[in-house]
Amino acid sequence: PSPPPTDEFKLANFYELREEFLCKCETLEDFEEMSCHLDTITEEDIVDDEKLLNKLNNILVNYNE
């Protein structure tokens, strides 16, 4: 089995995902709102898969309303 992803790997992955989310924003307003939401995610959240998923799910649920 492969070793679990390192914290650095998880952080890099998150920042890629963040870019993807921001690229999908169609207006500056959407971009700023999404950026603010994503800024609430800490490194501690990012390295804890479950915390990260919960935060991202909450952001997406709120964002899609």
Side-chain angles (χ1 to χ4, degrees):
S2 55
T6 62
D7 290 356
E8 287 80 27
F9 178 81
K10 289 180 180 184
L11 288 169
N13 254 7
F14 172 75
Y15 289 113
E16 271 181 36
L17 189 68
R18 179 190 163 94
E19 292 291 305
E20 273 179 42
F21 276 130
L22 292 174
C23 286
K24 288 181 182 165
C25 294
E26 292 178 6
T27 65
L28 184 58
E29 201 174 80
D30 286 348
F31 179 90
E32 287 173 350
E33 184 184 343
M34 179 59 81
S35 188
C36 284
H37 287 308
L38 291 171
D39 287 345
T40 66
I41 297 175
T42 64
E43 284 196 6
E44 198 178 286
D45 298 328
I46 296 168
V47 296
D48 181 327
D49 293 342
E50 201 170 312
K51 263 189 189 174
L52 180 60
L53 275 178
N54 286 337
K55 282 214 168 183
L56 287 173
N57 280 335
N58 287 340
I59 288 171
L60 292 175
V61 165
N62 293 329
Y63 183 75
N64 285 333
E65 286 174 359

